[in-house]
Amino acid sequence: MLCALIMAGGKGTRFWPLSTEDKPKQFLNLLGNETMIQMTVNRIKPLIPLERIFICTVEKYVPLVKEQLPELPQRNIIVEPEGRNTAPCIALSSFIIDRYYKNSTMVVLPSDHLINDEDRFLQIIRNGREFLNDYPREILTLGMAPDRAETGYGYIKCSEDIININNNQVIKVQKFVEKPNKDKAEQYLKEGNYLWNGGMFLWKVERILRLLRENMPSTYHALSGLKNIEEDLIFKYVNENYSKTEVTSIDYGILEKVDSIRVIPCNFGWDDIGSWNSLERYREKDKNQNICDENIKVIDSTNNIGIGHKKPIVFYGLEDVFYVETDELIVIAKKEKMNDIKILKEKILGGF
């Protein structure tokens, strides 16, 4: 039985001011008519029906999940009392999924990624499920073949231990590497045995719960009562016990402590739409490389980003400008400053 967990509790701070704490990027239409979370659910639906797709988010975003995914069963919305990084989120979700689907396999997906070749993506998930049926103690992650010296992603160093399944290699992970500087990223690209860490995983639920018990015992025991509790008491139990979990990522909490981890190299057109720079790679541009909403008119201007709101706006004689308008404010900056958006947000909200 294959189930999906989609993690949707992030605040999307690098997409401010369009993404806010009230409505972060996973609930926004950034690349088309669907929001990022709708795209993620619809991408996996041909393989996993809605009754086996679970969304983990914080209580504040539950109304947004219900609004954008109205057909999702109520029990499939897993509510964190607070964000405590990915390890508690995955632990909580694993216990919940195990209640309803014993002996299941789980695919873990962020809610805000772009995947261009969805058929290839689904085939890789099928191959991963097949692999885990033969090797149930293994943990699988999906690694993206890098095409540039990217400093915004973590990396996975691959070993020479390879198992083939259908048209996919399944490679033993040598180590996980933090986001590198430019020189290191160029070195990884040149060496050719590094993949981007896409933050997508497959594992047997029974296996990840065992690894939680062995490596994060306080988190495991804080939530283990979910195995047998009555369904109408789940929300109360989680609220009372979630603060006892460890605030850490699944990478630090589990993956870096075990050696039964393999990676499937992927080439399905992936990107983490986590910043304005990443959005720029995929939004349609005009002949002068501008990315602008319909209510922004562009005259003698090149290489600009314009996200308007209500009033018509004219760009005249501008180059390399970043413009975003929301109900609360307008931000105008040189595009080279887009990476400083979190710093800008702190200054503005702090009253300069």
Side-chain angles (χ1 to χ4, degrees), residues 6-40:
I6 298 172
M7 297 182 291
K11 297 179 180 178
T13 55
R14 288 182 293 165
F15 257 117
W16 183 86
L18 204 60
S19 172
T20 66
E21 291 191 12
D22 289 332
K23 193 172 186 179
K25 64 176 178 175
Q26 60 267 32
F27 302 108
L28 299 178
N29 300 69
L30 297 176
L31 292 171
N33 295 324
E34 295 180 328
T35 65
M36 299 301 291
I37 194 170
Q38 288 171 333
M39 291 171 65
T40 305

Side-chain angles (χ1 to χ4, degrees), residues 67 136 325:
E67 174 189 333
E325 179 184 352

Side-chain angles (χ1 to χ4, degrees), residues 167-224:
N167 294 320
N168 282 122
Q169 292 182 324
V170 186
I171 307 172
K172 191 172 182 63
V173 171
Q174 186 168 333
K175 66 176 179 179
F176 291 89
V177 181
E178 291 296 310
K179 297 176 182 178
N181 59 33
K182 190 68 173 179
D183 289 341
K184 279 287 187 183
E186 290 174 351
Q187 177 186 332
Y188 297 159
L189 191 63
K190 184 178 179 180
E191 290 181 11
N193 61 334
Y194 286 83
L195 301 168
W196 288 333
N197 184 355
M200 293 180 277
F201 309 100
L202 287 99
W203 47 53
K204 294 288 187 181
V205 174
E206 181 182 9
R207 179 61 175 158
I208 198 66
L209 287 173
R210 180 179 293 273
L211 291 174
L212 282 162
R213 186 176 64 191
E214 294 172 356
N215 296 281
M216 298 181 63
S218 60
T219 295
Y220 178 89
H221 291 298
L223 300 173
S224 60

Side-chain angles (χ1 to χ4, degrees), residues 9 24 32 90 112 127 135 138 140 175 204-205 237 249 263 282 305 316 322 326 329 346:
I90 287 170
D112 53 3
N127 290 344
Y135 301 91
E138 298 287 336
L140 289 182
K175 66 176 179 179
K204 294 288 187 181
V205 174
Y237 179 89
S249 69
V263 60
Y282 298 101
I305 294 177
Y316 179 46
F322 167 75
T326 70
L329 80 167
E346 291 170 2

